[in-house]
């Protein structure tokens, strides 16, 4: 017969663990996470258990098991490598009507410890007939599906409320955070940017309202005021709204404006940071934005206006004097003026530059040049937004890595 599965609420209840080896080391943390008051009986313990004992989280009796140790326990774990000891522990527990898990013999065990996992408030427990490896494999598959949203786990009784500002990462749907994907799977309404990982939108349930908030450069665009109004309106209807953006909502993403609009309307806001393209795209192209002995700093600059535009607040002379890496966003259309300003204010015209289009996506491509040639190279290559511009000697580091790789290939 299969077991009757039950979730034990162990907070404040005594649990006895007999044995201090690797099995006990695996089981004690989960018991502590459930709030149990754990007592370990064993002549010796592993370093990991010793650390928990030193922190006062576990009570340790440094001796062999004795009859009477099961007194007051709600649950017993017999985890020694001595079958006779485990048998004695199980017999005492059985006589006192206390559930006991034997680590050495599933058939003689009154209870089994399942392979467990947790995603937010969802707990997953798998027994698989007492086969721990099989149970763990099934557990991992279910947990992964819950984390990435491929299993519909939207709440019914306690739905999220308000607005979640979710940074979707640089473009590859696999680079959104686990938390961001979980919230996306809970959404009633999704307000998505043009640069959000749009492949994830195909996974939304059919009843989710999808609002396209794309801002196409020099083309169609939904005003920020309209977006703010949409977030507030849908949240006031009792719907859970996810504002899905590319990169990070607070790195040139106007997330601050949307957070303020919701706060002024009394709408609760949850912020989920995203992997900003300013760091992720150079990395995807093999370029570190900092490198020991090359660059100790990097600057992220929005170039939505040219350096000579009166509306620009960027200290271009200061950036030109800096030895740090410059990561330029929204710069492709104004690249000639940027290069001219940097050279004029002190950067060498031979400073290496890399421009990466569609970073992290299958269509990613890159052009490498210098400040004096980059504008012409980018124009000739037909590079278009979205693209990231990297200025600095770290570009050579990336080229060096590629040369080493090429030399080692058969």
């Amino acid at each position: 017969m299969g077991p009757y599965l039950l979730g034990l609420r162990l907070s404040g209840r005594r649990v006895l663990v007999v044995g201090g080896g690797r099995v006990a080391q695996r089981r004690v943390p989960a018991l502590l996470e459930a709030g149990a008051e754990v007592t370990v009986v064993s002549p010796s313990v592993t370093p990991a258990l010793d650390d928990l004992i030193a922190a006062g989280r576990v009570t340790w009796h440094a001796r062999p098991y004795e009859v009477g140790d099961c007194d007051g326990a709600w649950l017993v774990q017999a985890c020694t490598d001595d079958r006779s000891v485990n048998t004695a522990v199980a017999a005492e527990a059985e006589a006192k009507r206390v559930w006991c898990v034997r680590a050495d013999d599933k058939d003689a065990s009154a209870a089994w410890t399942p392979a467990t996992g947790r995603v937010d408030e969802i707990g997953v427990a798998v027994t698989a007939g007492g086969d721990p490896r099989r149970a763990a494999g099934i557990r991992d598959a279910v947990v992964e599906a819950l984390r990435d949203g491929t299993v519909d786990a939207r709440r019914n009784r306690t739905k999220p409320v308000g607005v979640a500002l979710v940074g979707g990462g640089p473009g590859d749907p696999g680079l959104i955070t686990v938390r961001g994907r979980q919230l996306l799977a809970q959404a009633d309404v999704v307000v998505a940017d043009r640069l959000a990982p749009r492949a994830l939108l195909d996974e939304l349930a059919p009843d989710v309202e999808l609002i396209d908030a794309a801002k196409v450069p020099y083309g169609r665009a939904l005003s920020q005021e309209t977006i703010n109004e949409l977030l507030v309106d849908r949240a006031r209807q009792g719907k859970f709204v996810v504002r899905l953006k590319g990169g990070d909502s607070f790195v040139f993403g106007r997330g601050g404006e949307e957070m303020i609009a919701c706060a002024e309307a009394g709408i609760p806001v949850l912020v989920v940071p995203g992997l900003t393209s300013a760091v992720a795209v150079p990395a995807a192209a093999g370029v570190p934005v900092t490198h020991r002995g090359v660059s100790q700093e990097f600057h992220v600059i929005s170039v939505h206006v040219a350096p000579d535009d009166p509306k620009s607040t960027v200290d271009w002379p200061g950036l030109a004097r800096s030895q740090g890496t410059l990561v330029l966003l929204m710069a492709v259309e104004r690249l000639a003026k940027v290069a001219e300003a940097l050279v004029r204010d002190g950067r060498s015209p031979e400073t290496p530059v890399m421009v990466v289009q569609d970073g992290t996506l299958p269509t990613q491509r890159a052009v490498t040049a210098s400040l004096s040639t980059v504008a012409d190279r980018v124009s000739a290559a037909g590079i278009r937004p979205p693209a990231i511009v990297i200025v600095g000697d770290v570009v050579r580091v990336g080229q060096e890595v590629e040369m080493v790789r090429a030399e080692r290939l058969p």
Side-chain angles (χ1 to χ4, degrees):
M1 287 185 175
Y4 180 80
L5 298 182
L6 187 69
L8 296 181
R9 303 180 68 182
L10 294 174
S11 180
R13 292 181 167 90
R14 182 174 181 266
V15 174
L16 172 68
V17 178
V18 181
R22 288 178 297 175
V23 175
Q25 178 179 308
R26 290 198 305 268
R27 295 189 178 177
V28 166
L31 293 168
L32 292 174
E33 189 175 338
E37 296 180 358
V38 177
T39 297
V40 173
V41 174
S42 179
S44 61
V45 295
T46 66
L49 287 174
D50 198 22
D51 185 53
L52 293 172
I53 292 163
R57 301 189 63 194
V58 173
T59 300
W60 179 32
H61 297 308
R63 56 168 175 77
Y65 159 75
E66 298 175 356
V67 174
D69 283 338
C70 293
D71 289 346
W74 292 74
L75 176 67
V76 175
Q77 298 265 354
C79 303
T80 77
D81 55 8
D82 187 326
R83 182 176 180 83
S84 63
V85 173
N86 290 340
T87 300
V89 172
E92 181 187 354
E94 184 76 13
K96 294 176 178 176
R97 297 188 176 184
V98 178
W99 290 107
C100 178
V101 179
R102 285 188 60 163
D104 62 334
D105 190 337
K106 69 181 182 67
D107 294 322
S109 184
W112 293 339
T113 297
T116 61
R118 181 163 292 278
V119 180
D120 290 336
E121 76 284 355
I122 300 173
V124 177
V126 183
T127 58
D131 183 338
R133 287 195 176 182
R134 185 184 185 202
I138 297 170
R139 180 270 319 274
D140 292 343
V142 174
V143 166
E144 181 62 26
L146 286 168
R147 282 178 175 163
D148 65 22
T150 55
V151 168
D152 185 359
R154 284 191 289 173
R155 296 178 179 90
N156 290 308
R157 291 186 177 180
T158 56
K159 292 178 59 177
V161 296
V163 173
L165 304 179
V166 175
D172 182 341
L175 295 177
I176 189 173
T177 64
V178 170
R179 182 61 171 156
R181 197 151 188 175
Q182 290 170 356
L183 292 175
L184 194 61
Q186 297 288 337
D188 299 310
V189 180
V190 175
V191 182
D193 268 1
R194 178 177 67 96
L195 299 180
R198 303 192 74 83
L200 296 176
L201 303 180
D202 290 337
E203 300 175 2
L204 296 175
D207 60 336
V208 175
E209 180 184 6
L210 177 60
I211 299 175
D212 187 351
K215 292 184 174 70
V216 180
Y218 313 109
R220 297 173 58 187
L222 200 63
S223 72
Q224 188 59 52
E225 291 74 17
T226 301
I227 294 172
N228 295 348
E229 292 169 2
L230 284 168
L231 297 178
V232 171
D233 174 71
R234 296 305 190 272
R236 280 179 169 166
Q237 294 178 27
K239 298 178 179 179
F240 178 52
V241 185
V242 170
R243 175 70 168 113
L244 183 64
K245 298 170 176 286
D248 183 275
S249 301
F250 284 6
V251 180
F252 304 123
R254 296 195 172 183
E257 297 175 42
E258 292 167 356
M259 182 173 63
I260 290 170
C262 290
E264 289 177 343
I267 303 297
V269 179
L270 173 64
V271 178
V272 180
L275 186 60
T276 175
S277 58
V279 175
V281 169
V287 177
V289 293
T290 63
H291 191 75
R292 185 160 58 96
V294 177
S295 176
Q296 300 180 42
E297 58 182 320
F298 69 97
H299 307 263
V300 181
I301 304 103
S302 167
V303 194
H304 62 283
V305 294
D308 58 357
D309 192 299
K311 292 182 287 187
S312 175
T313 61
V314 178
D315 181 9
W316 289 104
L319 293 174
R321 292 190 299 271
S322 165
Q323 297 302 307
T325 305
L326 307 183
V327 182
L328 312 178
L329 282 62
M330 298 172 278
V332 170
E333 302 291 339
R334 290 161 285 278
L335 198 48
K337 290 188 175 182
V338 168
E340 178 185 344
L342 290 172
V343 171
R344 182 189 64 231
D345 291 324
R347 282 263 178 161
S348 167
E350 300 307 312
T351 301
V353 182
M354 179 181 284
V355 183
V356 185
Q357 177 182 321
D358 292 343
T360 76
L361 296 173
T363 52
Q364 174 179 312
R365 61 184 182 129
V367 169
T368 304
S370 65
L371 273 177
S372 62
T373 63
V374 66
D376 290 339
R377 289 275 183 90
V378 165
S379 177
I383 296 290
R384 300 291 301 167
I388 301 292
V389 180
I390 311 149
V391 180
D393 289 337
V394 291
V395 173
R396 292 196 181 99
V397 175
Q399 292 173 317
E400 181 181 346
V401 171
E402 288 303 312
M403 290 175 59
V404 172
R405 285 176 175 168
E407 292 172 357
R408 292 182 179 272
L409 288 175

